[in-house]
Amino acid sequence: MKIGCHAVLFTDRIAKETEEVLKEFEKTGCQGVEIGARFFGVEKSSYLKELLDQYHLQLSGLHVSALWTDLLDDPQKVEEAVGKAAEFLQVMPNKNIIFTGAAQKDPSHHPEEPVDPRLSDTESAEKMAEKLNEIAGKAGEKGVFINYHNHCWEFDHDGLLFMALIHKAPRVHFALDTGWAAGSGWDPADLIEKYPDRISYVHLRDFKKEIMEKCHTFDQKQESYVDLGTGDMDYDHLMSVIKKNFGDNGWAVIEYEKGKVDFERYTKAVSYVREILG
């Protein structure tokens, strides 16, 4: 298993100051970085690979997002986005697309936007999962894996969307976001043990249980996450399960989206994870 850091905290600096950002990530002690296509684009893969090699890092995954309902309304759009990401990854040793299905266009800034009722409908959920499975099959022909990255809405309605992917999208793996899962009342360690053949990539977050229980919107929950090791997540148990179930190619990626924008937070988090792993 390898330890990575998600570059989302630095937004478009990963595109504008790529070398400077990667140089600082190397100092954290991590082995790789996850990068969002929305910030870096999908054109400069060789350039990125050269810099990653220079700073002894790997691209753990390329993050791609689309609306869940696009899988019904505009599947060609999703397929094209995944196809471009798959081409980008051909020069990389880890061919992981980290795919987010969004419930709304912008839940942080427009929480009043209604959620499409199809996201709570079993038949629609299964059809969307089946379409993503089809897209994952085509990506697989290029040696690329789609790893679904969850937020909180996948666990609404007794986990309707999450379980649709489990049962109707066997070609789709998971980039399980442990914080969003736990904050939604689902035990991430239990999910890893139940579906070991589907989960070998996780995002690591932490939160204070008392604070999270008072959060009711996506934005509130997103803002409530704290630095790794300072919350109530049982990382001793979680990391033991991850270590037991993940092979050499598995990834545990530390994700900070909010808060102070600096690399020291990642350095402390990497040290924290390594200490637990022994």
Side-chain angles (χ1 to χ4, degrees), residues 139-156:
E141 294 172 3
K142 298 179 180 179
V144 173
F145 293 94
I146 288 185
N147 302 270
Y148 187 85
H149 171 245
N150 63 277
H151 287 83
C152 50
W153 45 81
E154 290 82 5
F155 299 106
D156 290 342

Side-chain angles (χ1 to χ4, degrees), residues 147 165-167 169-175 195-200:
N147 302 270
L165 291 171
I166 288 288
H167 296 301
R171 294 188 181 94
V172 175
H173 294 249
F174 289 87
Y195 308 108
D197 59 329
R198 303 287 293 279
I199 305 173
S200 59

